[in-house]
Amino acid sequence: MASEEHYYHSVRLDKDRCTGCIHCIQRCPTQAIRVRNGKAIILAERCIDCGECIRVCPHKAKYAERDTIDIINQFKYKVALPAPSLYGQISRVRDVNLLLNALRGLGFDDVFEVAAAAERISDATKKFLKENKEIPRPLISSACPAIVRLITVCYPNLIDRIIPLHSPMEEAGRLARLRAVEETGLAPEEIGVFFITPCPAKITAIKHSQENERSNVDGAVAINDIYPALVSQLGKLEEQEDIQHAGRIGISWGMTGGEAAGTFSEDSMAVDGIENCMNLLGEIEDEKLSRVDFVELNACMGGCVGGVLTAENPFIAKARLNHIRKYLPNSMNSVSDGELDEVVTEKRPEEIPALRLADNLQEAMEKMNRLNELLDTFPRLDCGTCGAPSCRALAEDIVRGYTTEQDCIFRIRDELAGSALKNAVNDIIPPPFRKKEE
Ligand code: SF4
Ligand code: SF4
């Protein structure tokens, strides 16, 4: 199994809390979790930091490693980048300015709305789609880093479909630093730019950027961590400056459909929820969607308002975003033709060969044959008692040399057929799967 040093992940396991209950293994979309010796293990090469295991673990043993707000004090000038989803977190906030000023009250010198950068990306996306008709369709949004990572692990044939434009977070980080340098005269490294994040995938995208050599963002503070202090700041505000500079399109990026709507194309579509996204990516691989121009994919249900590091019910947050955006202009930001190069990513995502059985085709075929043979000997119950999420995953682990057939208790029972030990083994099998001797 590849070591964790090769792949940074914000999603981690707290071993002390893990009871080995196997709840998480079948919910992981990339089958990245095994349970061994009573504790979960995350296979670093497969994990996409989607946060599903954080959501489902009943013992809070999975968590996202993130920065605390104190980190901003390491810099002379601090800028907050609020995600559009933040606007839907707090009740009675009808005026975005109130929220942005409250953020400054937490110790930031400036606030740069990610929603403003999102409007530039919407404009750039429209232009890119129009000017690059020769690229096979549909093109796929680069905004959700869990989806980008999912494509690099499970759908590498689709990497070229990922639109080569900055995510709004990266674009906001770039513009925020430029503005701070211009306004303060400080060196770029004296300025700290921090994303207020709804999800762990964005944290990973900062530490290990898939779009730039080095991220334009210095760190990430979770929405649910700053939520209490932010609410308290709102109560203390005496006067507020007019610093809002994003319209309806930018704020809509906080929920499913906002990005697709920003392309103003009937041939754009939006999907949310990791399983739905995987189904759709399968259809794109099979060339069933070539009439669709652009696809917005969100790993979380509801879009970023559904991220595991948010504080509010996603449906309530969505209703608030709808209300807030109602009285705003359509858009307050665009990209001129001369600026288009600035929003193009420095590098492309690279395939992570986590699912390849071998680099050599013949060896890979042999391993696949062995895998299928093994699978035929397993009960196909996908019960998880072996610590793998499915019988197929166990067969794959055996072929890769990670474990042995002895992990399958049903195999052991079958091997003991006719011996006195068979009933003893049957008795320790979980009740739904026991078989009484006729
Ligand atoms: S759900 Fe996974 S991480 Fe949580 S306690 Fe159970 S095995 Fe451990
Ligand atoms: S973060 Fe997602 S991909 Fe990673 S282990 Fe958890 S469920 Fe699996």
Side-chain angles (χ1 to χ4, degrees):
M1 294 183 194
S3 70
E4 291 202 8
E5 294 93 69
H6 287 90
Y7 306 96
Y8 174 84
H9 289 293
S10 58
V11 175
R12 305 285 172 98
L13 174 81
D14 179 342
K15 270 195 179 162
D16 293 339
R17 282 178 175 266
C18 179
T19 63
C21 67
I22 71 171
H23 251 83
C24 54
I25 60 175
Q26 282 164 338
R27 290 293 296 273
C28 173
T30 56
Q31 299 201 323
I33 310 175
R34 304 290 183 273
V35 173
R36 296 274 176 265
N37 298 317
K39 302 287 173 193
I41 297 169
I42 300 177
L43 307 183
E45 69 276 24
R46 285 184 181 227
C47 176
I48 60 169
D49 291 286
C50 65
E52 280 304 303
C53 54
I54 298 179
R55 219 186 286 280
V56 300
C57 176
H59 306 286
K60 302 203 180 317
K62 295 269 176 47
Y63 66 98
E65 191 172 74
R66 67 268 209 164
D67 297 314
T68 60
I69 188 87
D70 305 338
I71 192 181
I72 69 173
N73 298 322
Q74 294 173 10
F75 293 85
K76 281 194 179 156
Y77 191 83
K78 306 114 184 156
V79 188
L81 307 178
S85 49
L86 178 71
Y87 304 175
Q89 302 299 306
I90 300 171
S91 65
R92 292 187 299 279
V93 172
R94 298 282 182 259
D95 180 357
V96 172
N97 267 312
L98 206 64
L99 195 70
L100 303 181
N101 279 275
L103 258 182
R104 287 218 290 211
L106 296 182
F108 292 101
D109 299 294
D110 192 13
V111 177
F112 194 104
E113 288 177 272
V114 174
E119 291 186 339
R120 285 169 60 83
I121 301 303
S122 284
D123 197 32
T125 302
K126 263 190 300 182
K127 290 176 174 149
F128 190 91
L129 292 172
K130 200 169 153 205
E131 288 165 15
N132 293 278
K133 297 266 186 221
E134 74 291 353
I135 304 179
R137 294 307 202 249
L139 290 181
I140 301 169
S141 163
S142 62
C144 175
I147 294 294
V148 172
R149 185 81 174 227
L150 174 71
I151 293 171
T152 61
V153 174
C154 301
Y155 306 91
N157 296 338
L158 299 181
I159 289 176
D160 290 343
R161 304 283 183 100
I162 301 170
I163 200 159
L165 300 177
H166 280 155
S167 62
M169 176 184 78
E170 280 296 320
E171 177 65 357
R174 186 180 75 81
L175 295 171
R177 197 178 304 275
L178 282 176
R179 181 164 86 181
V181 167
E182 205 177 293
E183 286 179 0
T184 65
L186 289 170
E189 59 276 14
E190 292 176 304
I191 293 153
V193 178
F194 296 92
F195 184 56
I196 313 299
T197 185
C199 79
K202 297 273 206 295
I203 303 173
T204 300
I206 293 168
K207 306 274 184 205
H208 185 91
S209 177
Q210 298 190 85
E211 45 186 301
N212 292 323
E213 295 308 327
R214 185 178 181 279
S215 172
N216 291 310
V217 183
D218 296 298
V221 182
I223 288 179
N224 57 9
D225 285 346
I226 62 156
Y227 178 82
L230 195 58
V231 172
S232 144
Q233 276 300 321
L234 280 167
K236 292 182 200 159
L237 276 181
E238 282 172 6
E239 51 188 57
Q240 61 183 65
E241 253 182 77
D242 186 3
I243 48 177
Q244 181 189 2
H245 62 301
R248 206 179 294 168
I249 287 180
I251 289 175
S252 303
W253 274 65
M255 54 192 169
T256 304
E259 181 186 2
T263 64
F264 289 97
S265 165
E266 285 176 5
D267 298 322
S268 292
M269 63 182 286
V271 174
D272 59 7
I274 193 77
E275 281 174 21
N276 296 331
C277 291
M278 290 178 85
N279 288 338
L280 197 92
L281 286 166
E283 300 213 355
I284 297 175
E285 255 190 344
D286 294 343
E287 299 295 350
K288 289 185 184 162
L289 289 178
S290 49
R291 291 195 182 175
V292 176
D293 212 16
F294 179 75
V295 178
E296 167 199 330
L297 297 177
N298 302 279
C300 295
M301 278 300 218
C304 294
V305 288
V308 286
L309 301 180
T310 56
E312 183 55 284
N313 174 304
F315 296 98
I316 296 174
K318 184 179 168 192
R320 288 198 192 122
L321 287 188
N322 277 326
H323 193 89
I324 289 171
R325 68 179 188 162
K326 212 166 164 184
Y327 304 104
L328 293 176
N330 222 13
S331 176
M332 294 164 80
N333 301 274
S334 60
V335 181
S336 68
D337 288 347
E339 289 174 322
L340 270 176
D341 283 351
E342 295 172 5
V343 299
V344 173
T345 56
E346 284 173 10
K347 62 177 189 181
R348 302 289 291 143
E350 284 173 20
E351 176 182 358
I352 297 174
L355 304 189
R356 266 197 232 153
L357 289 173
D359 290 336
N360 165 312
L361 187 62
Q362 192 184 340
E363 198 187 331
M365 298 272 287
E366 283 165 13
K367 285 191 172 173
M368 181 57 79
N369 289 340
R370 169 87 182 113
L371 188 158
N372 286 327
E373 280 166 21
L374 274 168
L375 194 51
D376 284 343
T377 69
F378 291 152
R380 299 197 192 227
L381 289 169
D382 296 341
C383 64
T385 52
C386 61
S390 64
C391 294
R392 194 190 184 286
L394 175 62
E396 191 181 327
D397 287 352
I398 295 167
V399 165
R400 289 182 188 278
Y402 297 162
T403 190
T404 68
E405 289 145 84
Q406 301 306 309
D407 281 358
C408 177
I409 190 130
F410 301 94
R411 274 292 299 274
I412 296 175
R413 182 178 62 184
D414 293 347
E415 279 167 19
L416 292 172
S419 96
L421 280 172
K422 182 176 179 186
N423 283 343
V425 174
N426 198 40
D427 285 347
I428 58 167
I429 281 177
F433 310 123
R434 277 182 208 154
K435 274 186 192 158
K436 264 197 162 168
E437 279 302 323
E438 296 301 319

